[in-house]
Amino acid sequence: MQAPEPIVVQPFSACGGRSEEGGNKPSLLELFHEKDAVKMCAPMVRYSKLPFRMLVRRYNCDVACTPMIIASSFVQSSKARDVEFTTCKGDRPLVVQFAASNAHDFASAAELVAPFADGVDLNCGCPQKWAMAEGYGAFLINRPELVREMVGDAMSRSGLPVSIKIRIHQDLRRTVQLAQTAEKVGASWITVHGRTTKQRAEPVNMDAIKLVKESVCVPVIANGDVRTMDDVHRVCLRAGVDGVMAARGILHNPAMYAGHPHTPKGCVQDWLDIALGTGASFTQFHHHLMQMMEPVLARTERRAFNTLQSVPAVLDYLASHCGIT
């Protein structure tokens, strides 16, 4: 097998002109026509950064998203742009997710990343109180006209496909109205997390996702409780959606889309190579390993592994306890 190409990390300020990466690969929107189910890695604060995106791409993930980025800070600060956005050759198709409370910030941020991304997503689903208090995230599911303005302006200024990621309402008629409003203004797809803003671990409402899918013509992506390829097939069959987006499932098993029931040793080794090769922080390096190893380590082993304090200590543990070198 040919060795993967070295990853050269580029912060925003070093990205240069428009990226031509992609070659003969299908565009993001073409994937919806070419695949029975488009498999996405969700935007995850602290987690879906470049090294992890490059890992899941090795295991059949079709599209990866950046963590949620605050649009106003991204637009105003070059330092924020370099901290929040890094990419490299091969980091495609890439969707950049922004949290924004107004059309100007969202469209300005989308315009900035347009040369280096394949789409932008408006976060309309984050249920955290601080985000909703700022007018971000799930606050927007109750402001369909504002969402319409934000999506329309971002499309016209960036030239990129624009999507929204939403949670459902208690009154599903409002969810359908929001989805149809986004579709009418030109949203390219809609991701639906099948829980309300007050729900956390409750079962995903698959009927609600199916209702949204039946109410619009654009692709719909299902989010929530997708942990295996069996889940992918089950969700697509049940809700009739065009793809799925995994968060916690893919954190615990970055190889889930390749059909592995648990993170295989080869995937852990790939993470060591990618994380150390890209200069990931120890916290990022270790936290991802904690997620990957959780299903396969006994409780006492997890406690020991999770308290390790350095890269050499982690590598020694993996070599002596798991045979990973």
Side-chain angles (χ1 to χ4, degrees):
M1 182 180 295
Q2 186 176 0
E5 189 172 337
I7 297 171
V8 180
V9 179
Q10 293 180 301
F12 183 86
S13 60
C15 285
R18 175 171 290 276
S19 170
E20 299 300 330
E21 173 63 26
N24 294 321
K25 294 181 182 179
S27 72
L28 194 159
L29 296 183
E30 287 172 342
L31 288 174
F32 290 114
H33 299 287
E34 297 184 4
K35 291 182 174 288
D36 292 333
V38 176
K39 302 179 291 295
M40 294 189 176
C41 175
M44 295 175 282
V45 174
R46 296 185 300 277
Y47 284 112
S48 58
K49 294 186 176 182
L50 174 63
F52 189 70
R53 297 197 301 269
M54 297 308 291
L55 177 66
V56 298
R57 292 185 192 282
R58 293 186 182 184
Y59 292 90
N60 292 358
C61 179
D62 297 316
V63 181
C65 301
T66 68
M68 180 184 77
I69 300 171
I70 304 299
S72 58
S73 299
F74 193 82
V75 170
Q76 295 165 12
S77 168
S78 60
K79 182 178 180 180
R81 291 193 287 274
D82 279 349
V83 169
E84 298 294 339
F85 183 85
T86 57
T87 189
C88 71
K89 182 179 180 182
D91 186 26
R92 310 294 286 270
L94 176 64
V95 175
V96 183
Q97 189 192 67
F98 289 107
S101 60
N102 62 78
H104 177 267
D105 287 345
F106 183 50
S108 297
E111 189 173 25
L112 283 169
V113 299
F116 322 113
D118 301 280
V120 292
D121 180 75
L122 176 63
N123 186 317
C124 301
C126 179
Q128 296 186 35
K129 290 182 180 180
W130 73 265
M132 295 181 67
E134 294 289 335
Y136 302 146
F139 172 87
L140 294 172
I141 66 173
N142 297 315
R143 302 292 188 278
E145 289 308 307
L146 177 56
V147 169
R148 179 192 59 75
E149 181 185 5
M150 295 169 81
V151 171
D153 285 8
M155 287 175 51
S156 63
R157 288 183 57 183
S158 71
L160 289 176
V162 177
S163 63
I164 62 172
K165 184 173 184 292
I166 66 174
R167 281 191 173 234
I168 61 173
H169 300 79
Q170 198 70 41
D171 180 354
L172 292 178
R173 292 173 298 182
R174 299 178 66 192
T175 308
V176 168
Q177 180 195 7
L178 174 63
Q180 291 176 337
T181 297
E183 177 185 38
K184 286 177 182 176
V185 77
S188 294
W189 72 93
I190 299 166
T191 302
V192 184
H193 185 127
R195 295 183 175 96
T196 68
T197 58
K198 295 182 179 180
Q199 293 176 318
R200 295 296 183 269
E202 292 85 347
V204 165
N205 186 338
M206 207 59 63
D207 290 333
I209 299 176
K210 181 179 181 181
L211 177 63
V212 174
K213 172 59 186 172
E214 293 173 344
S215 302
V216 297
C217 295
V218 295
V220 172
I221 302 296
N223 176 222
D225 291 350
V226 177
R227 297 183 176 89
T228 67
M229 280 303 297
D230 284 344
D231 290 337
V232 173
H233 300 314
R234 173 183 56 80
V235 168
C236 289
L237 182 63
R238 171 78 185 278
V241 291
D242 304 275
V244 298
M245 178 179 283
R248 283 178 292 182
I250 207 167
L251 276 181
H252 283 127
N253 181 9
M256 59 170 281
Y257 285 144
H260 296 278
H262 301 291
T263 306
K265 288 184 178 180
C267 183
V268 176
Q269 182 64 64
D270 284 342
W271 173 246
L272 301 183
D273 295 341
I274 291 171
L276 297 178
T278 56
S281 69
F282 175 72
T283 298
Q284 184 182 8
F285 168 74
H286 191 210
H287 280 195
H288 274 291
L289 286 170
M290 289 163 59
Q291 296 280 348
M292 293 180 211
M293 304 302 291
E294 181 180 339
V296 298
L297 293 178
R299 182 177 298 179
T300 55
E301 293 173 322
R302 289 201 303 270
R303 285 201 198 101
F305 184 77
N306 293 354
T307 58
L308 299 175
Q309 299 293 318
S310 68
V311 170
V314 170
L315 297 180
D316 287 345
Y317 187 97
L318 292 174
S320 61
H321 289 75
C322 307
I324 298 171
T325 60

